[in-house]
Amino acid sequence: MSILSRQRVLVLAALLACAGLALIGARAAATAARFGPPAAPVIAVVDLDSVLQGLNEKKDREAALQTTLKDLQSRVNALGEEAKNEQAKLEQATDAQKPALAKALREKIIRAEFEKQYSEKILTEMSGEGIREIYLKIDNATERLAKQNGYQLVLASDEKNPVPDRGSTSDILRSIASKRMLFVDPSLDITQEVITLMNNEYAARK
């Protein structure tokens, strides 16, 4: 074999060796990427208390609840006045009139007590149902924002929840133990985004 032919063989062998090393390196990189540590999740936090305080829908619901409270209170007050009138009639009645008036008075008192208890129960249920509905809307709005902006995990922040400066040792320790977040970078907070989205959607529905 000539010297020129030997040189060509050596060059070809070198090229094949380089190609083999490159292929091995590429496979190694792919394997490392496949079995390497996962990418860090994109995290956001939401201050639920601030969201609730900032929602126009919650404010309107509370105003409507106050109106209902006044209406129910008016009914209870009216029944109370009727009971007072019956009491006044009973005090001025003759002995023959008293049994019937006493019965009417008892009925007024029982009805007033029932209306009072009924009003309290209705208001409690309305308030609870309203808070639940709003929370479900917050949950839905947060999920949509997360998917839109690429957040993989959204946490309810308790960083701002205060630890009482007074109270028993057990109460303070319980408050400390209930906290899950000691510091949250403000850049992770999407509370205002949730409020803005929900208020805009509420205004559109109105």
Side-chain angles (χ1 to χ4, degrees):
M1 183 182 293
S2 65
I3 295 176
L4 183 59
S5 297
R6 288 178 181 177
Q7 289 178 343
R8 289 177 177 175
V9 171
L10 291 174
V11 170
L12 180 59
L15 291 174
L16 290 174
C18 289
L21 290 173
L23 180 60
I24 293 172
R27 288 180 177 175
T31 301
R34 193 187 319 154
F35 296 104
V42 182
I43 299 175
V45 297
V46 172
D47 184 340
L48 286 177
D49 185 61
S50 295
V51 173
L52 287 171
Q53 297 304 318
L55 292 181
N56 294 332
E57 180 176 0
K58 181 175 180 290
K59 296 173 185 176
D60 288 349
R61 282 175 177 261
E62 289 176 344
L65 198 62
Q66 288 299 315
T67 300
T68 303
L69 171 62
K70 291 179 181 179
D71 292 341
L72 293 173
Q73 189 63 51
S74 296
R75 288 169 55 183
V76 173
N77 291 341
L79 289 171
E81 288 299 320
E82 291 179 12
K84 288 181 181 180
N85 293 335
E86 294 294 336
Q87 179 68 41
K89 290 179 182 179
L90 179 61
E91 292 173 355
Q92 298 175 2
T94 63
D95 291 341
Q97 295 172 327
K98 283 183 177 180
L101 291 174
K103 181 180 178 181
L105 176 59
R106 286 195 301 272
E107 290 176 352
K108 296 292 184 184
I109 293 175
I110 292 172
R111 187 177 172 190
E113 290 177 350
F114 170 79
E115 286 290 342
K116 183 176 183 296
Q117 295 174 1
Y118 172 77
S119 299
E120 292 172 350
K121 182 176 177 59
I122 286 295
L123 288 171
T124 300
E125 290 183 355
M126 289 176 64
S127 178
E129 290 173 358
I131 290 296
R132 180 180 181 276
E133 289 177 6
I134 288 177
Y135 169 76
L136 292 177
K137 291 180 179 180
I138 294 173
D139 185 71
N140 178 266
T142 302
E143 180 180 349
R144 287 185 284 121
L145 270 178
K147 291 178 178 179
Q148 173 184 317
N149 297 329
Y151 305 127
Q152 296 169 305
L153 180 65
V154 180
L155 303 173
S157 174
D158 62 3
E159 177 197 15
K160 298 178 182 178
N161 292 355
V163 175
D165 55 358
R166 296 179 182 178
S168 65
T169 302
S170 60
D171 289 341
I172 294 175
L173 287 174
R174 190 180 303 111
S175 176
I176 293 173
S178 68
K179 290 180 70 68
R180 295 293 178 267
M181 300 180 184
L182 301 182
F183 170 75
V184 176
D185 191 306
S187 65
L188 301 179
D189 195 310
I190 61 169
T191 299
Q192 191 55 51
E193 293 179 52
V194 175
I195 294 173
T196 301
L197 173 64
M198 294 186 66
N199 282 344
N200 288 342
E201 291 180 345
Y202 178 61
R205 289 198 304 273
K206 289 181 67 175

